[in-house]
Amino acid sequence: MRLSQYFLPTLKETPSEAQIVSHRYMLRAGMIRQSSAGIYSWLPLGFRVLKNIEQIVREEQNATGAQEVLMPTIQSADLWRQSGRYEDYGQEMLRITDRHDREMLYGPTNEEVITEIFGAHVKSYRHLPRNMYHIQWKFRDEVRPRFGVMRGREFLMKDGYSFDLDPHAGRVAYNKMFISYLRTYARMDLQAIPMKAETGPIGGDMSHEFIILADTGESEVFCHRDFLERDVLQRDIDYDSDLQPLVDEWTSLYAATDDMHDAARFESEVPEDRRVAARGIEVGHIFFFGDKYSKPLGAFVSTPDGDEMPVQMGSYGIGVSRLVGAIIEASHDDKGIIWPESVAPFKVGLVNLRTGDEACDAACDSMYAKLSDAGVEVLYDDREERAGAKFADMDLIGLPWQLIAGPRGLKEGKVELKNRRSGETDELSIDAALTRLAG
Ligand code: 5CA
């Protein structure tokens, strides 16, 4: 993509409404624009990151055998009356009346809709287990939308739902999601810590929040430091195997949010030098709630003995749009964002230090073409701007690699390759630089 043709409205000034670094950088890097309180448009750069995160989530869900669907954002109030949640949900729910005076709502979550679909079609234990998810916009009329996409009113969530015959099989489904969540965050270079959690309006008696540590997080959290040194991607996961031992490994160490925190247990179980008391961002939340929805909504299956049983369910959420902010909170410096390669909007920023100079233009055009042909995503700064402004924008938008070409270096056939995270810069021949990036 040529920057001269790209819609990238970067800002030099820090917007005064943004209180935390991810919100400031998302606005300054031209990723989003607020439309109303807690409601954002995603501009090209932000949209690319959102899609990359979505794709990692999708791949890790599919690897567990979960199947992608797409349910509507607008739901019927009657369905929510059946589950008993219509009144309970209170003012967070955006209620709408259509032209025929039918009561509708903008879905804050989808337990009711998926349970109705499942119950209408599946009648026998033979068609279990099943797990379906979608990646869809949600609306919650939060009292205090804030911190940009971190606590929005409209936000993108991956929500998945498992259906099983009995609580034991439900636990197997829960464990698959538990491990796949750890992998999902790890692929975004995030160290997510599973913490026992309150179940709130979703309900049920088994639940974990996945939290990443960040000073700007909304929750106060307490955990064992060992969590921060673990790497779940080291192991291959066989989702057909018994995952309980692995889940036990991740749940045996102390980890709790403030609502579940037990100071006495924390002090007795965790040696003083391993105690972490910090703030955290909730990037996912999983629940097992048995027949809480299947019973009132009539999702029953026949058992091998010929009985009828409500199906056992769990639900599993990932804050896809929140993750964009969370990743920035975890990975930035005072110049801007530092994207992990897996979610970066482009891998390489190609900086032409003197647009209009014949040698610079020819070398940059050729590098751009070669990298693009090799499938490398490049944002090519071919604008007629000062070098300083180009560098500042590149650092701000945080692409993992900067490939810099100027008249002086090119005379000797050299370009610079800078790693955004380490700041290390190498002077290389054009071919060597291209091999590093495309190799
Ligand atoms: N039905 C369940 C799981 S499918 C559910 O709704 N769970 S939740 O309420 O915990 O939300 C799942 C995830 O969505 C949260 O962990 C969080 O990462 C994200 N999320 C929740 N509310 C917001 C919000 N207002 N803005 C951005 N992300 C949010």
Side-chain angles (χ1 to χ4, degrees):
M1 178 58 62
R2 285 174 184 269
L3 193 40
S4 61
Q5 294 162 23
Y6 199 53
F7 187 76
L8 185 70
T10 55
L11 307 173
K12 284 201 185 58
E13 305 301 321
T14 297
S16 59
E17 76 270 26
Q19 300 165 29
I20 61 171
V21 68
S22 57
H23 191 195
R24 282 199 287 275
Y25 283 154
M26 286 182 77
L27 291 171
R28 284 194 49 210
M31 294 175 64
I32 50 169
R33 179 161 179 85
Q34 183 173 307
S35 176
S36 350
I39 303 179
Y40 293 88
S41 296
W42 291 78
L43 308 183
L45 195 79
F47 188 65
R48 288 178 78 99
V49 177
L50 190 67
K51 287 285 148 184
N52 289 342
I53 291 174
E54 200 182 297
Q55 187 54 25
I56 292 176
V57 169
R58 178 175 288 117
E59 286 168 13
E60 293 300 324
Q61 287 292 296
N62 292 349
T64 69
Q67 297 160 37
E68 187 167 9
V69 297
L70 185 59
M71 292 176 271
T73 53
I74 306 292
Q75 307 179 10
S76 130
D78 282 344
L79 203 52
W80 283 68
R81 288 209 174 86
Q82 257 176 279
S83 73
R85 282 208 293 183
Y86 188 63
E87 306 304 336
D88 292 357
Y89 225 93
Q91 288 194 302
E92 263 195 25
M93 180 182 276
L94 180 65
R95 295 156 208 259
I96 307 163
T97 307
D98 74 9
R99 68 198 298 164
H100 304 294
D101 278 338
R102 276 190 288 254
E103 290 173 282
M104 313 291 285
L105 56 101
Y106 193 126
T109 175
N110 278 61
E111 280 81 4
E112 282 77 0
V113 176
I114 194 85
T115 308
E116 190 282 327
I117 295 172
F118 190 84
H121 293 289
V122 177
K123 303 291 178 199
S124 160
Y125 73 94
R126 286 195 199 86
H127 300 126
L128 297 176
R130 288 290 182 274
N131 188 321
M132 289 185 273
Y133 71 96
H134 73 163
I135 301 173
Q136 176 65 292
W137 293 91
K138 304 288 183 290
F139 195 93
R140 293 182 187 171
D141 206 351
E142 302 274 353
V143 197
R144 283 215 299 155
R146 57 183 185 153
F147 301 159
V149 300
M150 292 281 225
R151 182 161 295 281
R153 292 200 296 163
E154 192 180 38
F155 59 96
L156 189 59
M157 192 201 287
K158 185 290 293 183
D159 42 321
Y161 303 88
S162 61
F163 301 89
D164 288 278
L165 182 60
D166 54 44
H168 174 75
R171 176 93 209 200
V172 170
Y174 187 90
N175 288 349
K176 284 187 188 179
M177 284 296 121
F178 186 105
I179 299 300
S180 82
Y181 273 41
L182 293 174
R183 284 186 49 86
T184 301
Y185 303 118
R187 283 186 59 190
M188 301 170 195
D189 283 5
L190 295 174
Q191 189 70 36
I193 304 169
M195 304 202 178
K196 259 198 140 4
E198 292 279 12
T199 57
I202 309 292
D205 51 15
M206 182 164 65
S207 171
H208 287 91
E209 283 178 10
F210 289 78
I211 303 266
I212 62 156
L213 302 186
D215 295 340
T216 49
E218 290 188 290
S219 334
E220 206 183 343
V221 299
F222 304 86
C223 69
H224 198 298
R225 189 169 297 283
D226 283 6
F227 276 114
L228 302 174
E229 289 148 20
R230 291 187 167 179
D231 182 4
V232 71
L233 297 178
Q234 287 298 324
R235 310 193 193 183
D236 283 335
I237 306 293
D238 173 3
Y239 283 106
D240 291 327
S241 68
D242 178 12
L243 296 173
Q244 193 62 51
L246 192 51
V247 171
D248 290 346
E249 251 178 62
W250 282 86
T251 49
S252 54
L253 287 179
Y254 191 91
T257 58
D258 53 355
D259 9 335
M260 300 295 266
H261 182 50
D262 174 344
R265 247 194 71 203
F266 185 49
E267 280 163 30
S268 71
E269 284 181 21
V270 186
E272 197 169 353
D273 61 338
R274 305 302 286 163
R275 282 179 212 153
V276 177
R279 301 201 68 82
I281 302 169
E282 181 199 321
V283 287
H285 198 161
I286 61 178
F287 305 81
F288 182 71
F289 41 69
D291 59 10
K292 175 171 178 197
Y293 300 93
S294 53
K295 216 169 175 177
L297 290 164
F300 284 66
V301 289
S302 62
T303 68
D305 304 331
D307 297 333
E308 292 262 296
M309 292 280 281
V311 73
Q312 296 283 312
M313 290 177 60
S315 80
Y316 313 92
I318 292 183
V320 175
S321 49
R322 175 178 288 184
L323 272 166
V324 181
I327 292 169
I328 298 173
E329 290 296 326
S331 183
H332 66 268
D333 62 14
D334 57 359
K335 296 196 181 75
I337 303 165
I338 304 174
W339 291 115
E341 233 171 83
S342 58
V343 302
F346 297 90
K347 179 174 173 180
V348 181
L350 171 60
V351 183
N352 184 342
L353 287 180
R354 197 165 302 159
T355 303
D357 173 279
E358 220 174 292
C360 284
D361 290 353
C364 287
D365 287 356
S366 151
M367 289 191 285
Y368 178 54
K370 284 186 181 149
L371 286 171
S372 303
D373 286 349
V376 179
E377 291 178 324
V378 182
L379 184 63
Y380 171 17
D381 193 346
D382 59 342
R383 296 172 304 171
E384 294 189 9
E385 282 278 355
R386 289 177 304 110
K390 292 189 175 188
F391 286 136
D393 275 350
M394 270 306 162
D395 282 346
L396 174 64
I397 67 173
L399 309 182
W401 296 98
Q402 296 174 11
L403 180 57
I404 302 156
R408 217 173 322 137
L410 283 174
K411 270 203 194 107
E412 290 157 29
K414 294 276 168 73
V415 289
E416 281 185 2
L417 186 60
K418 177 176 155 187
N419 181 284
R420 174 67 179 89
R421 188 176 296 281
S422 67
E424 261 170 50
T425 303
D426 286 335
E427 211 185 17
L428 300 166
S429 70
I430 290 182
D431 279 347
L434 294 182
T435 309
R436 277 240 214 133
L437 293 171

